Amino acid sequence: MLRDLASLQGLLQETSADQIATAADMMEAADTIYLLGQLRSAPVVELLRYMLTMLGKRTVILDTSGGLATHMAKVARKQDLLLAVSFRFYATEVVNIVEESAGRGVPIVAISDSTLSPLA
């Protein structure tokens, strides 16, 4: 748990204002924002869904129940955005969805704990 907290503190210190502004611009420009996070990242995604919905942004959580997240992600288009959250012990399905979506040209904003993360 202490290691996880240290990773999040590092994320706050290493993320520049320009990176945050770029992510915000991408989110504003997106038609639909697809949110993806599993395990410990799920609460972050739930909070983002709430906040973005209150801002009037169309959001879809790529829900892992029933094994549908991978299939749901395939409808994301180049005018949409995939916002993926994953930390140490990166969920395989999250990594696979990010790789597949990137291969189709879907813009991605990733929140992770390291520049060595598979999401980076």
Side-chain angles (χ1 to χ4, degrees):
M1 179 102 173
L2 291 176
R3 184 175 175 186
D4 295 335
L5 290 173
S7 291
L8 288 174
Q9 287 297 328
L11 176 66
L12 290 172
Q13 294 171 352
E14 295 168 12
T15 304
S16 71
D18 287 341
Q19 288 172 310
I20 292 171
T22 298
D25 290 344
M26 290 173 69
M27 291 166 55
E28 183 179 12
D31 182 51
T32 301
I33 299 175
Y34 290 86
L35 301 169
L36 176 61
Q38 297 178 3
L39 308 170
R40 294 175 298 157
S41 302
V44 176
V45 168
E46 289 290 342
L47 179 59
L48 285 168
R49 177 179 65 161
Y50 172 78
M51 291 172 24
L52 292 168
T53 299
M54 290 296 108
L55 291 171
K57 198 68 185 174
R58 184 182 340 201
T59 61
V60 174
I61 287 191
L62 297 178
D63 188 359
T64 59
S65 64
L68 292 177
T70 300
H71 301 288
M72 292 171 66
K74 291 184 180 185
V75 301
R77 306 159 297 166
K78 292 179 181 179
Q79 62 265 36
D80 298 327
L81 175 80
L82 174 62
L83 196 158
V85 183
S86 191
F87 303 109
R88 186 172 52 94
F89 306 122
Y90 313 99
T92 302
E93 188 173 22
V94 171
V95 173
N96 291 342
I97 289 171
V98 168
E99 288 176 350
E100 191 276 333
S101 297
R104 292 186 297 108
V106 176
I108 298 171
V109 169
I111 300 172
S112 196
D113 57 349
S114 168
T115 56
L116 300 176
S117 161
L119 299 189

